Amino acid sequence: MFYFQNTGEQKIILDEEESIHAIRVLRLKENDEVHLIDGIGGLFKAKISNAHPKKCEVQIEEKIEIYKRKYYKHIAIAPPKSIDRFEWFLEKATEIGVDEITPLLTDRSERKNLNVERLEKILTSTMKQCIQPFRPKLNPLMRYSDFISQHTKGYIAHLETGEEELLQKIYQPGNDCLILIGPEGDFSPAEVVLAKQNGYTSISLGHSRLRVETAGLAACHTITVVNND
């Protein structure tokens, strides 16, 4: 499976990294069949027309029809201190299916920087390995207050005691959804109040106390299950 940026052309030149993998690692030759994925829902059958090790040229022969979700899933999450745990979340959320991920910088965030280029490569690699035709949109790290001002309405998972309903009980299948997941130590009380003032509904992800990346994945998977995807 090879990733390419779809420009609508039938003849494609793979980038250097994909070309090296195809020709030097897999030792593919001209007329060998390959599969391409564009990250925006396109899955294609193609044949190698020029087995150049740095500019491999392929000819698209057939587009494969795939299932497309009818709703949009956005997870806004404060990355944990351990980058390995956040990378794990990105991998698993991509496998399950998520449309957009926004890392949040909150009052209690311990991680305040990200190597976006590396994270983008992880998303692409996971998408190819799982034949997941949609590559999630990864936004830059964003201050929580700025995010809330630009994105009103959604769900917020937090640890304050109250009468929060389980996500699967209040989410309506087929609807777009935005879910906020806090950092280690949870959102601050002021952040919870700000979200509620901007139309967010408090939710529970169950009785267990979850780590950040687990909570993000649980929310993502819950929406998938409720929609029978």
Side-chain angles (χ1 to χ4, degrees), residues 49-205:
S49 55
N50 182 4
H52 192 287
K54 292 187 178 181
K55 296 181 180 179
C56 179
E57 187 176 279
V58 299
Q59 181 74 32
I60 292 177
E61 297 192 329
E62 178 186 353
K63 182 174 183 178
I64 302 172
E65 293 300 321
I66 58 170
Y67 168 74
K68 183 177 181 180
R69 288 190 300 275
K70 297 180 180 179
Y71 61 95
Y72 197 84
K73 189 192 303 182
H74 185 174
I75 304 293
I77 180 171
K81 184 176 181 180
S82 168
I83 192 60
D84 290 344
R85 288 164 53 194
F86 188 60
E87 290 176 357
W88 179 87
F89 164 73
L90 293 180
E91 289 179 357
K92 302 310 173 186
T94 301
E95 289 180 37
I96 292 173
V98 63
D99 298 289
E100 187 171 355
I101 299 168
T102 301
L104 295 176
L105 184 59
T106 67
D107 291 342
R108 295 171 178 168
S109 288
E110 293 189 73
R111 172 159 292 278
K112 301 181 180 180
N113 58 75
L114 294 171
N115 184 339
V116 176
E117 183 178 352
R118 173 177 168 79
L119 300 181
E120 293 280 9
K121 288 183 177 180
I122 290 172
L123 293 178
T124 299
S125 176
T126 304
M127 175 190 67
K128 289 163 53 180
Q129 291 174 359
C130 300
I131 316 180
Q132 171 58 262
F134 294 96
R135 185 177 181 276
K137 176 183 178 183
L138 178 64
N139 296 315
L141 188 66
M142 190 173 187
R143 289 189 177 278
Y144 177 85
S145 57
D146 293 338
F147 182 86
I148 294 296
S149 68
Q150 296 177 26
H151 299 80
T152 57
K153 296 183 181 180
Y155 303 103
I156 178 170
H158 59 86
L159 300 177
E160 283 190 4
T161 57
E163 301 299 325
E164 294 83 9
E165 289 277 2
L166 289 168
L167 175 59
Q168 59 264 39
K169 289 187 176 181
I170 60 175
Y171 168 73
Q172 295 297 312
N175 289 340
D176 295 345
C177 63
L178 165 59
I179 303 173
L180 306 179
I181 304 294
E184 294 150 313
D186 200 15
F187 289 115
S188 68
E191 287 172 332
V192 175
V193 170
L194 180 62
K196 291 179 178 179
Q197 289 174 341
N198 283 271
Y200 284 79
T201 301
S202 294
I203 57 166
S204 169
L205 297 174

Side-chain angles (χ1 to χ4, degrees), residues 200-219:
Y200 284 79
T201 301
S202 294
I203 57 166
S204 169
L205 297 174
H207 296 296
S208 300
R209 188 183 182 96
L210 305 176
R211 298 172 75 171
V212 174
E213 70 277 14
T214 309
L217 194 62

